[in-house]
Amino acid sequence: MIDQLGDLLSQLDALRVRAIAELEPITTSTELDEWDVRYLGRNRGELKSLSSVMPKLSKEERPIVGQKINAVKAELERELAARREMLRQRELLQSLEKERIDVTLPGRALPAGHMHPISRTILEVTKIFVEMGFQIVQGPEVETDYYNFQALNIPEDHPARDMQDTFWVAPGEILLRTQTSPMQIRTMKQTQPPIRVVVPGKVYRNEAVDASHEAMFHQIEGLLIDEHCTMGDLKGCLERFAQILFGEKRRVRFRGSYFPFTEPSAEMDIDCPICEGMGCRLCKYSGWLEVLGSGMVHPKVLREVGYDPAKYRGFAFGMGVERIAILKYGISEIRLFSGNDLRFLRQF
Ligand code: DAH
């Protein structure tokens, strides 16, 4: 009998050791469940089979074995619970790791718009003059005949009016400005010399629309007034401008011209940046491109705003923004700027 008891107890110990050893490498809860059934199962569990010998034991032996069985059962249950908890923690960690949100990843970028080539050209041109000490000012697009023409030495019936066919708001009195030059007059009347301003803005002409003419376009006007100012200042300033905008290698030439509000007047050309002066389609095989009109402010204009022409002198210039953009980007069609075709606009 004693032997049988000893045998049973050591079988229980062996079972405990084996069960715990088998528990160790388990990594899934299905395997855990199988282990649970195998050792602790109420029907065919190994512990249950060992305890089926109980009835054959003596009265004294029974509590010893019973205690041992309970102890082993409690220990295995503890181990199982611990293992389950460990697996649960591990799975949790793994899923946290897997589902982690990487906040350092860049977000999905929204398509950003960008500046229209005309706005960009205005910005580039005015920036150059701002760095030379000019201020940017803007003026009204609806103007009076006085500022747009008369004060600029373009009286009624002056032939220069023919070149700027006008949209009238009130015929003979109020109009859509045909040039940014009226801001020369407004600025001079509002302030005193020294003056250095650039004026970007829209202008309107009753044009027959074609590849190089539109009824609405943009100009940038420039005006400098001081006690000492010569044609040399005009040339140096505008040459520097052309080189910054079109490239350091650019050469410029000034051709005598006529504008009613300047005397003398000159148009400035640059040597063609495409063919370097050799002749190409852009420069119409002349090697030169016309960039702007300019001149020394006419004494009549100075007198008109109450300045003494013996004391003050100045120069002025005006350029078409579309034309500058066409030259700078090699565009063949002025209508593209206002056509709102994204295939065109996205190239800038
Ligand atoms: N306003 C002139 C035009 O639209 C351009 C111009 C020429 C402006 C000479 C000037 C200038 O200030 O001096 O044709």
Side-chain angles (χ1 to χ4, degrees), residues 164 179 181 184 205 219 221-222 259 261-262 293-295 316-318:
Q164 305 188 359
Q179 48 187 354
S181 306
Q184 290 189 26
R205 290 185 196 178
Q219 285 189 339
E221 192 81 13
F259 300 102
F261 40 89
T262 48
S294 64
F317 55 90

Side-chain angles (χ1 to χ4, degrees), residues 187-246:
T187 309
M188 285 190 283
K189 283 195 170 189
Q190 268 165 30
T191 53
Q192 289 298 310
I195 290 173
R196 270 184 271 184
V197 291
V198 276
V199 190
K202 290 188 174 73
V203 299
Y204 302 83
R205 290 185 196 178
N206 194 357
E207 300 271 9
V209 173
D210 66 25
S212 51
H213 295 88
E214 279 234 83
M216 186 276 287
F217 58 101
H218 298 76
Q219 285 189 339
I220 297 173
E221 192 81 13
L223 175 71
L224 181 146
I225 306 282
D226 211 329
E227 286 182 24
H228 307 283
C229 177
T230 69
M231 192 88 187
D233 297 314
L234 178 157
K235 289 175 77 175
C237 175
L238 294 179
E239 178 178 31
R240 192 69 207 114
F241 155 73
Q243 288 168 341
I244 297 172
L245 190 69
F246 291 106

Side-chain angles (χ1 to χ4, degrees), residues 146-147 184-191 304-305 307:
Y146 171 77
Y147 282 109
Q184 290 189 26
I185 308 297
R186 287 186 179 274
T187 309
M188 285 190 283
K189 283 195 170 189
Q190 268 165 30
T191 53
E304 180 67 37
V305 297
Y307 290 1

